[in-house]
């Protein structure tokens, strides 16, 4: 599971990370900015790798800022809140 490694990487980088699970995996904040983040594992199949039907519906209806998806520790190292 890559979520634990991604969460740890973000926390080491100074982000506050709350695992919320639904509608997406994480609530992330730093320096007064916050964003929801989805985590997917490209090595797995099914909903662990692709968006669920509920997530697709949520993303379509969501009117806030785009929700990024992190798939690797390398992406977590480069992640910044816009």
């Amino acid at each position: 599971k890559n979520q634990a490694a991604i969460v740890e990487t973000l926390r080491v980088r100074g982000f506050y990370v709350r695992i919320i699970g639904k509608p997406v995996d994480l609530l992330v904040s730093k320096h007064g900015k916050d964003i929801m983040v989805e985590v997917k594992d490209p090595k797995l199949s099914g909903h662990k790798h692709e968006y669920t039907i509920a997530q697709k519906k949520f993303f379509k209806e969501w009117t806030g800022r785009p929700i990024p998806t992190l798939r690797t520790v390398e992406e977590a190292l480069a992640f910044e809140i816009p």
Side-chain angles (χ1 to χ4, degrees):
K1 292 187 176 187
N2 64 341
Q3 180 170 303
I6 287 172
V7 167
E8 181 61 21
T9 299
L10 292 172
R11 287 178 174 159
V12 166
R13 293 191 54 227
F15 289 92
Y16 171 84
V17 181
R18 177 83 174 189
I19 299 170
I20 57 174
K22 291 188 181 189
V24 295
D25 292 315
L26 309 175
L27 181 60
V28 179
S29 69
K30 186 176 183 180
H31 302 305
K33 295 181 181 179
D34 55 69
I35 193 166
M36 290 185 286
V37 175
E38 177 60 15
V39 175
K40 292 296 181 192
D41 190 336
K43 296 177 185 174
L44 300 178
S45 62
H47 77 279
K48 297 289 185 184
H49 172 64
E50 306 209 6
Y51 300 119
T52 65
I53 293 170
Q55 286 174 328
K56 289 176 186 176
K57 183 177 187 291
F58 175 74
F59 294 156
K60 185 176 180 179
E61 296 172 348
W62 179 244
T63 60
R65 72 172 75 197
I67 299 168
T69 299
L70 297 178
R71 293 177 174 81
T72 64
V73 168
E74 291 76 21
E75 289 180 354
L77 285 168
F79 176 77
E80 294 296 335
I81 298 174

